């Protein structure tokens, strides 16, 4: 009898030890018992949808496009790329193909817009002494050159060139990514930073028209334009970090020479290249 009791005691000890290892005392879920999602309630789950609808929408779209990607028939190597932007702009493409003079007019207007972007970005540095937009453009065009040379995409079929388009003279150019669009975004972000709202809205509107024209003339693939927008935002952010870092470094070194200093314009604080 006593031997039997000792046996049961030892057995229970082993069971308790096993429970401790598996975490059975914490709900029977083992190492998952302390996981973050195990503490969720139904209210928490509904709260995610209520207070964070945008990530939820993107999560649903992610699952949707995962299904599309894994079931889609790949484009054969002998076929031109599929581009949804080209399909949407077929009527405009036909119009410009039938009217070369109109295509040249739009190309000339787009070149003027490129000159406006360039003039504004240079003016922020050379006249106002604010280097961020100029540094951003330098970063952007440098990486565009690297990526454009690394992967040289074929010129889209039915490309409608014009001697009035930038770069002027029907010269070669990199397709990936769009410097036209990226520079427009850089200029627009600087305008918004300086609270030049009306000018920023004009540039944003012209940029949209520029995107439509580049798709209509097959001057860029849709991905070139989308990445151009992202590149403008990314390199503006990187230039901001660079300017801020250099400013702090100059202040820390107590430099009396040419440094980045803080100035204000219309109540907006910004970094300036100035002589102390």
């Amino acid at each position: 009898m006593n031997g039997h009791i000792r046996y049961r005691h030892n057995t229970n000890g082993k069971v308790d030890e096993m429970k401790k290892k598996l975490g059975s005392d914490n709900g029977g879920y083992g190492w998952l018992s302390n996981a973050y999602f195990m503490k969720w309630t139904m209210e928490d789950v509904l709260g995610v949808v209520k207070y964070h609808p945008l990530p939820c929408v993107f999560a649903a779209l992610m699952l949707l496009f995962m299904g599309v990607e894994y079931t889609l028939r790949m484009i054969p190597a002998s076929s031109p790329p599929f581009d949804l932007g080209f399909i949407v702009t077929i009527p405009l493409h036909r119009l410009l193909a039938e009217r070369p003079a109109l295509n040249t007019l739009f190309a000339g207007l787009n070149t003027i817009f490129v000159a406006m972007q360039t003039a504004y970005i240079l003016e922020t540095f050379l006249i106002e002494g604010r280097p961020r937009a100029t540094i951003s453009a330098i970063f952007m065009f440098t990486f565009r050159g690297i990526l454009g040379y690394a992967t040289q995409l074929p010129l889209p079929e039915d490309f409608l060139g014009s001697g009035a388009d930038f770069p002027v003279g029907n010269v070669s150019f990199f397709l990936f990514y769009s410097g036209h669009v990226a520079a427009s975004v850089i200029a627009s972000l600087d305008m918004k930073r300086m609270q030049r709202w009306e000018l920023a809205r004009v540039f944003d509107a012209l940029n949209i028209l520029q995107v439509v024209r580049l798709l209509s003339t097959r001057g860029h693939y849709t991905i070139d334009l989308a990445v151009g927008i992202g590149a403008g935002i990314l390199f503006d952010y990187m230039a901001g970090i660079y300017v801020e870092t250099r400013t702090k470094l100059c202040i820390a070194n107590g430099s009396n020479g040419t440094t980045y200093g803080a100035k204000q314009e219309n109540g907006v604080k910004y970094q300036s290249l100035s002589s102390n």
Side-chain angles (χ1 to χ4, degrees):
M1 184 71 175
N2 291 337
H4 181 64
I5 292 174
R6 272 199 305 272
Y7 173 78
R8 289 184 61 186
H9 173 75
N10 292 339
T11 303
N12 289 338
K14 290 181 179 180
V15 170
D16 291 341
E17 184 179 354
M18 187 65 69
K19 281 184 177 182
K20 187 174 182 181
K21 289 182 179 179
L22 296 177
S24 299
D25 290 340
N26 294 324
Y29 296 104
W31 59 273
L32 288 176
S33 59
N34 292 323
Y36 175 62
F37 74 92
M38 293 296 292
K39 302 178 179 66
W40 290 357
T41 64
M42 184 57 65
E43 183 180 358
D44 294 329
V45 175
L46 295 176
V48 171
V49 179
K50 180 179 179 180
Y51 296 108
H52 306 283
L54 188 59
C56 292
V57 170
F58 274 91
L61 291 175
M62 178 191 70
L63 296 176
L64 171 64
F65 284 110
M66 285 176 63
V68 172
E69 178 182 3
Y70 300 148
T71 58
L72 196 67
R73 289 187 61 185
M74 300 288 286
I75 302 297
S78 58
S79 300
F82 171 83
D83 194 294
L84 187 60
F86 289 0
I87 295 174
V88 172
T89 56
I90 285 177
L92 287 173
H93 177 76
R94 289 174 178 169
L95 175 65
L96 296 176
E98 293 171 357
R99 301 184 180 182
L102 185 61
N103 180 42
T104 300
L105 174 62
F106 287 164
L109 292 174
N110 203 156
T111 298
I112 293 174
F113 180 46
V114 172
M116 291 167 58
Q117 303 166 20
T118 306
Y120 179 83
I121 290 172
L122 291 176
E123 185 271 342
T124 60
F125 177 45
L126 299 177
I127 306 300
E128 300 180 33
R130 297 185 296 108
R132 177 168 173 171
T134 303
I135 294 173
S136 175
I138 292 172
F139 286 173
M140 182 272 291
F141 279 111
T142 299
F143 279 91
R144 177 179 179 272
I146 294 171
L147 295 176
Y149 184 80
T151 302
Q152 300 178 37
L153 299 174
L155 193 67
E157 290 186 353
D158 303 322
F159 168 65
L160 300 176
S162 172
D165 206 352
F166 183 86
V168 178
N170 283 321
V171 299
S172 60
F173 60 94
F174 292 134
L175 285 165
F176 187 84
Y177 41 84
S178 173
H180 288 62
V181 171
S184 302
V185 171
I186 289 172
S188 175
L189 289 173
D190 184 87
M191 294 168 186
K192 292 167 184 173
R193 196 157 44 242
M194 301 306 297
Q195 299 183 3
R196 297 165 179 168
W197 304 113
E198 293 185 3
L199 190 57
R201 282 191 284 268
V202 169
F203 262 61
D204 288 340
L206 292 175
N207 201 11
I208 292 172
L209 294 176
Q210 176 177 243
V211 166
V212 173
R213 176 192 163 264
L214 290 171
L215 287 174
S216 301
T217 60
R218 310 302 187 246
H220 273 293
Y221 295 105
T222 301
I223 194 172
D224 305 330
L225 305 171
V227 173
I229 295 173
I233 297 171
L234 171 64
F235 289 113
D236 176 77
Y237 174 75
M238 290 178 62
I241 293 178
Y242 174 82
V243 171
E244 183 179 356
T245 302
R246 294 300 301 175
T247 301
K248 291 179 179 178
L249 182 61
C250 290
I251 293 173
N253 292 337
S255 174
N256 292 322
T258 301
T259 61
Y260 294 114
K263 287 190 175 183
Q264 289 206 7
E265 179 175 312
N266 297 327
V268 181
K269 187 175 182 180
Y270 64 91
Q271 298 298 331
S272 172
L273 184 68
S274 60
S275 179
N276 292 341

